[in-house]
Amino acid sequence: MDKWILTSEKIDWKKMKKRESIWTQGNGYMGIRASFEEGYTGSARNTLINGLFDCPKEEVAELAVLPDATNCEISFNGETFNMICGIVENFRTSLNMRTGEFTRTLDWTSPKGKKFSIVFSRMVSDARKHVMAQRVWITPLSEDVEVCLVTGIDGKITNTGVQHFGNPEKRAYKDGIKGMYLTTLQSQVDVAIHYTLKFNKECTERITIDRRSVYSEVRTTVGKNDTFTMEKLVSYATERDFEYADFEYSDEVLRNDGKAYLNEVIELGYDGLLKESARSWSQFWQESLVDVNANDALIDGAIIFAQYHLHIMASRDDNRLGIGAKALSGEGYMGHSYWDTEIFILPYYLCTEPQVARRLLEYRYQLLPVAKNKAAKFGFQGAMYPWESTWITDGEGCIEYGDMDLLTGEKRRFTMGETEIHVTAGVAFAAWQYYCMTGDEEFMEKYGNELIIRTAIFWADRAEKRNGRYEILGVIGADEYKEDVDNNTYTNYMAHKNLVLAKNILDSNPERLLRKLEKEYNMKDVKMEISEVAENLYLPVAEEDGIIPQFDGCKSLKEKDITYYKNLDSVFDIFKDYGFAEILQMQVFKQADIVMLFYLMSDVFDEETVRKNFAYYEERTLHDSSLSMCIHALVAVRLGMKDMAEKLFYDCCCVDFGENTNNSDAGIHSASIGGIWLATVMGYGGLRITDNSLQLKPVLPDGWENYSFPVWYRGSKLKVLVDKNGCCVERVLGDAVTIVLNGKEILV
Ligand code: BGC
């Protein structure tokens, strides 16, 4: 089996949605799910553009699903092709992660007994962000037939029923280009979609339209064993494109640009575009490949799969965009960004493509006004980041009420927006990690220092003086199965780090920044408050039994043996037996909380404490969040708990890449995908980022042949190779740098 190519030779209609998600194609600008060209029940035919949010009245902003251009209905002498009728043979579909191409090959015998060979292929250009292309090859095998293809732009789309676009304008131009122009209903963003068709033989093309769509109806007669080829080239452009960030936009410019993106590639056609795109992919793999040879197809493939998705989820140029919890692979989580980005995904970019990491942090910087408004709304100073972020001016994306409680039937109030405040410290932490890895002073001066200070101002205000110390009350920690808790250990430690970082920055007297902040604050007072809270913030420690309470009173909650639920393949099963209110009162956890700290702040806790707490909390954690397994795997590796690490690592690889679950239907889990990298490089590779060093302590898991990964550190690129002979660190680019390998400083 080739680890670079995902294949399927069976059609499992029940798994179609999952496959559509995990085989999503994209380039950081757009994402297109791998739906088949013809219609079938249950398909979630989504094309999403990064940053194209719309906010329906009385709801929160979500990524608007775009009109679909992947459709193509085929009929032969009036018989419509569909895999659910007739006989399908020699079926094979694949996603080539080396080149980004998605193909489907099959022989179809129609209900009337006529046989055809059909090949579909599709690509989203890695070299031209606005372009995608498709090709259909049709060969009649029984007799000459009249082939009719209907393909175009289908605007009859919604986000699970929610309309985001008004009536589109449709145009057909003399040069063969067809266009559709729409505007999002609330955010009022213009969108232009264009397509043009190319054929290998003479045919007629008739334009048809309906209220929301424009189609081409293509007819030709194809001889037995001859092949008819249609190529469809499509371009997308929106008013929010980075090209217009500092440019006077007009809808005429947008339409002309949209057409120009197509005109530039008509000559190239599908093959030329594929070649160009494959070259771009190849360059990416050459520069960034994390290569694992584990002698296990699932693990070897999962790391390529993870990197494939990491490559297509982040914008290559735009610093106004985050990464959604499902990236651009589905409607799940409405395209919103969470702490997932900074804590689970960003480390990959820090090590592999630091310029992308910087842009993601610049996005957070641009959200500062939103974060300041949010803090003010809840009566605090400083910057309080949205729990769920969308477009830079949209505000908090967290809904007020979630789905009903399955057991009680009552609607559940969501307090995450107000109380899941650790995201604020996570953003500051990530800005600092970026600095530690890159030494990018310019970033800190322009963005990082301000971000860290403004977030620290929030913490200093949010913490309350109680019991002769500062405490943080009424929060949801990293673990979402406990609400309204006091002194959540994860939150307090992260807030503390944020405060200490701010204190150090303020001690260094950043003059320009102080002048800016002085317009809003008395910086002398701010400095004092930050120092005072940093010094006196309560940081929970291990109690007599060696266990750190996840929050005040956590260990007196009811114990519950959850082995049964942990052994099930699916998640959230506990809710079939217990209501959320009951879970809140039990020592049952959804995901890593204290264990997160062992990953992020490895130098703060001694090994004995980590070991004891890992055992205690893992036993009580359901891993009902896809964010949980990877972190537990990483910590288990660091503790040398081989079997546990292996199992958790495997489970983490299976979240999207495994066979069994349907929980990827609404999109991949981008944090868990980042988590595969974390568990590999920061777990097995033992990579740690500390305030003043890059550390490596690699281990080779049993059965693995070798693995290698690139790391950018302070402007130099290193390649780390681990095999049975040990570890080799090679400097590929840049000046000599000092790192810590297995506890010893070395100059690379
Ligand atoms: C998790 C959060 C996560 C969110 C988005 C939730 O299920 O509990 O920690 O940020 O999903 O991935």
Side-chain angles (χ1 to χ4, degrees):
M1 205 176 101
D2 184 339
K3 68 180 179 184
W4 290 91
I5 303 182
L6 305 176
T7 42
S8 160
E9 292 181 358
K10 272 199 323 256
I11 314 155
D12 184 346
W13 294 107
K14 280 198 220 103
K15 286 195 183 154
M16 280 305 279
K17 271 200 185 155
K18 173 174 174 156
R19 210 192 39 80
E20 288 177 358
S21 300
I22 65 174
W23 289 21
T24 289
Q25 295 170 287
N27 56 17
Y29 171 78
M30 67 170 113
I32 301 186
R33 283 167 65 91
S35 327
F36 292 161
E37 284 70 4
E38 69 281 8
Y40 49 94
T41 311
S43 162
R45 201 171 269 281
N46 296 170
T47 296
L48 296 165
I49 289 189
N50 213 342
L52 188 68
F53 286 98
D54 186 48
C55 183
K57 277 207 180 101
E58 287 161 28
E59 293 196 49
V60 290
E62 69 176 329
L63 274 188
V65 172
L66 273 107
D68 169 63
T70 63
N71 58 77
C72 182
E73 295 287 349
I74 308 174
S75 50
F76 305 107
N77 288 345
E79 265 193 296
T80 303
F81 159 71
N82 201 303
M83 296 204 306
I84 55 172
C85 64
I87 300 166
V88 176
E89 288 166 299
N90 301 323
F91 172 79
R92 186 173 192 271
T93 181
S94 62
L95 175 72
N96 185 335
M97 296 186 286
R98 224 189 265 282
T99 62
E101 191 186 27
F102 165 42
T103 50
R104 176 166 53 127
T105 315
L106 59 112
D107 291 339
W108 186 62
T109 308
S110 74
K112 287 189 182 158
K114 307 286 183 267
K115 204 165 176 171
F116 307 91
S117 159
I118 311 174
V119 181
F120 298 92
S121 23
R122 194 187 303 167
M123 53 159 289
V124 170
S125 176
D126 199 56
R128 300 171 189 259
K129 67 178 191 181
H130 297 281
V131 177
M132 84 90 163
Q134 255 178 317
R135 182 169 57 194
V136 190
W137 266 324
I138 294 170
T139 315
L141 300 174
S142 311
E143 59 186 25
D144 299 358
V145 284
E146 195 206 28
V147 176
C148 174
L149 304 177
V150 180
T151 186
I153 307 171
D154 176 7
K156 295 184 287 294
I157 36 83
T158 63
N159 282 54
T160 323
V162 178
Q163 279 280 348
H164 284 295
F165 293 99
N167 205 21
E169 181 187 337
K170 286 117 3 195
R171 297 290 300 274
Y173 298 97
K174 290 211 167 59
D175 57 6
I177 291 180
K178 272 68 68 181
M180 181 183 274
Y181 308 110
L182 323 92
T183 305
T184 52
L185 284 174
Q186 306 298 327
S187 53
Q188 292 287 299
V189 181
D190 292 342
V191 176
I193 310 173
H194 293 93
Y195 78 91
T196 192
L197 303 177
K198 283 180 85 174
F199 314 100
N200 70 338
K201 72 190 285 289
E202 195 97 338
C203 47
T204 60
E205 182 183 349
R206 196 168 66 91
I207 310 296
T208 66
I209 49 171
D210 63 31
R211 198 164 152 193
R212 300 249 156 175
S213 309
V214 51
Y215 290 110
S216 297
E217 192 182 288
V218 176
R219 284 179 192 275
T220 188
T221 302
V222 187
K224 183 179 167 189
N225 294 330
D226 274 354
T227 299
F228 171 59
T229 312
M230 183 191 77
E231 292 180 9
K232 181 176 183 182
L233 313 176
V234 185
S235 78
Y236 298 86
T238 93
E239 183 180 351
R240 283 211 171 146
D241 290 350
F242 193 53
E243 287 84 345
Y244 309 126
D246 298 313
F247 183 81
E248 217 168 301
Y249 162 84
S250 75
D251 65 348
E252 198 187 330
V253 170
L254 181 76
R255 291 173 185 212
N256 287 339
D257 285 352
K259 275 188 276 177
Y261 298 139
L262 269 194
N263 277 318
E264 286 159 15
V265 299
I266 289 177
E267 207 41 49
L268 280 176
Y270 185 91
D271 271 334
L273 274 168
L274 180 66
K275 243 190 227 149
E276 185 187 72
S277 177
R279 260 201 309 273
S280 170
W281 269 103
S282 155
Q283 192 180 343
F284 161 71
W285 288 118
Q286 239 171 41
E287 285 172 11
S288 308
L289 177 65
V290 178
D291 196 22
V292 170
N293 294 299
N295 291 322
D296 180 320
L298 187 120
I299 294 175
D300 291 354
I303 186 82
I304 301 285
F305 168 79
Q307 247 194 304
Y308 167 84
H309 278 285
L310 287 160
H311 184 59
I312 65 173
M313 66 172 71
S315 165
R316 314 273 161 80
D317 53 10
D318 197 335
N319 62 359
R320 303 161 308 160
L321 304 175
I323 293 178
K326 302 278 184 188
L328 299 170
S329 69
E331 285 180 47
Y333 288 109
M334 304 168 109
H336 297 182
S337 303
Y338 294 70
W339 69 312
D340 305 29
T341 310
E342 285 72 26
I343 305 295
F344 295 81
I345 306 172
L346 198 109
Y348 163 79
Y349 296 112
L350 272 184
C351 291
T352 319
E353 293 178 90
Q355 69 287 2
V356 177
R358 175 170 167 156
R359 273 196 293 275
L360 287 166
L361 290 164
E362 286 177 18
Y363 162 67
R364 288 300 196 176
Y365 179 83
Q366 302 203 59
L367 279 172
L368 270 178
V370 166
K372 277 163 62 181
N373 281 342
K374 180 172 168 184
K377 177 179 162 195
F378 290 109
F380 300 112
Q381 306 226 45
M384 177 186 188
Y385 271 95
W387 170 239
E388 298 178 33
S389 304
T390 55
W391 179 244
I392 41 171
T393 50
D394 279 345
E396 174 61 76
C398 189
I399 49 176
E400 217 180 309
Y401 286 94
D403 285 333
M404 70 170 183
D405 187 308
L406 286 183
L407 213 71
T408 64
E410 297 291 322
K411 68 177 178 180
R412 243 187 82 196
R413 175 123 202 277
F414 268 10
T415 53
M416 284 90 164
E418 189 176 343
T419 67
E420 201 153 348
I421 52 178
H422 62 77
V423 58
T424 292
V427 171
F429 186 87
W432 178 245
Q433 278 206 323
Y434 170 79
Y435 176 64
C436 295
M437 284 297 278
T438 59
D440 185 347
E441 299 287 351
E442 193 237 7
F443 168 81
M444 290 308 277
E445 268 162 38
K446 252 176 138 169
Y447 312 112
N449 290 340
E450 184 178 342
L451 193 153
I452 291 171
I453 292 172
R454 287 191 186 277
T455 46
I457 293 175
F458 163 72
W459 289 116
D461 202 15
R462 178 63 168 77
E464 293 169 45
K465 197 145 196 190
R466 204 173 73 153
N467 305 321
R469 61 195 183 189
Y470 285 92
E471 302 191 358
I472 300 177
L473 310 179
V475 303
I476 297 178
D479 167 43
E480 287 191 339
Y481 282 174
K482 297 291 162 281
E483 294 191 347
D484 194 15
V485 300
D486 296 339
N487 294 313
N488 165 254
T489 302
Y490 175 75
T491 307
N492 284 25
Y493 273 82
M494 291 297 283
H496 181 252
K497 179 79 185 172
N498 196 161
L499 287 157
V500 170
L501 290 174
K503 179 180 176 312
N504 294 345
I505 293 167
L506 288 171
D507 285 348
S508 74
N509 239 339
E511 272 178 41
R512 196 188 54 83
L513 179 57
L514 287 177
R515 274 202 305 277
K516 180 173 179 183
L517 294 172
E518 256 150 22
K519 293 186 190 134
E520 292 167 63
Y521 301 102
N522 176 335
M523 287 310 288
K524 233 190 185 160
D525 291 353
V526 163
K527 210 173 155 177
M528 255 166 47
E529 277 160 29
I530 286 182
S531 299
E532 153 89 1
V533 182
E535 267 158 46
N536 298 297
L537 183 65
Y538 168 50
L539 296 174
V541 289
E543 295 178 346
E544 257 168 40
D545 57 358
I547 304 307
I548 311 170
Q550 187 172 298
F551 50 86
D552 291 355
C554 167
K555 279 154 54 194
S556 15
L557 294 182
K558 238 187 343 229
E559 290 271 13
K560 164 91 198 132
D561 180 355
I562 54 169
T563 320
Y564 167 73
Y565 302 104
K566 274 169 88 84
N567 287 338
L568 297 175
D569 268 345
S570 40
V571 287
F572 306 133
D573 290 291
I574 200 163
F575 291 105
K576 292 178 188 152
D577 300 325
Y578 297 93
F580 192 68
E582 287 172 285
I583 311 259
L584 290 177
Q585 300 307 322
M586 295 175 186
Q587 284 198 58
V588 170
F589 308 113
K590 179 182 185 184
Q591 64 198 101
D593 192 293
I594 284 182
V595 175
M596 290 299 305
L597 291 175
F598 304 152
Y599 142 54
L600 293 168
M601 298 184 182
S602 55
D603 43 354
V604 173
F605 304 92
D606 63 77
E607 195 183 316
E608 190 49 29
T609 305
V610 176
R611 194 173 293 283
K612 269 202 169 151
N613 282 274
F614 179 90
Y616 184 90
Y617 283 103
E618 202 287 325
E619 195 188 340
R620 292 161 176 78
T621 299
L622 285 164
H623 303 299
D624 271 359
S625 159
S626 64
L627 280 60
S628 194
M629 267 97 72
C630 52
I631 301 304
H632 279 87
L634 182 159
V635 175
V637 173
R638 289 184 182 175
L639 286 169
M641 301 168 75
K642 281 190 182 175
D643 294 345
M644 174 72 94
E646 198 179 301
K647 182 191 173 305
L648 288 162
F649 184 72
Y650 206 80
D651 288 349
C652 153
C653 289
C654 286
V655 169
D656 292 304
F657 197 61
E659 276 300 312
N660 292 330
T661 61
N662 278 107
N663 70 341
S664 311
D665 288 4
I668 50 105
H669 300 77
S670 39
S672 159
I673 284 196
I676 296 177
W677 179 89
L678 287 178
T680 307
V681 171
M682 298 190 121
Y684 289 120
L687 186 147
R688 298 173 202 220
I689 304 167
T690 72
D691 283 354
N692 21 13
S693 67
L694 171 69
Q695 313 217 355
L696 289 170
K697 204 175 184 183
V699 289
L700 187 69
D702 292 344
W704 287 29
E705 212 53 47
N706 56 41
Y707 60 96
S708 64
F709 55 88
V711 188
W712 279 95
Y713 183 56
R714 305 271 162 109
S716 295
K717 187 178 182 185
L718 310 178
K719 185 172 173 186
V720 182
L721 172 72
V722 183
D723 62 16
K724 296 195 169 111
N725 300 319
C727 168
C728 164
V729 184
E730 185 191 340
R731 178 158 48 88
V732 186
L733 282 173
D735 297 334
V737 280
T738 302
I739 63 162
V740 179
L741 178 64
N742 294 324
K744 268 203 211 126
E745 273 199 358
I746 57 159
L747 185 71
V748 188

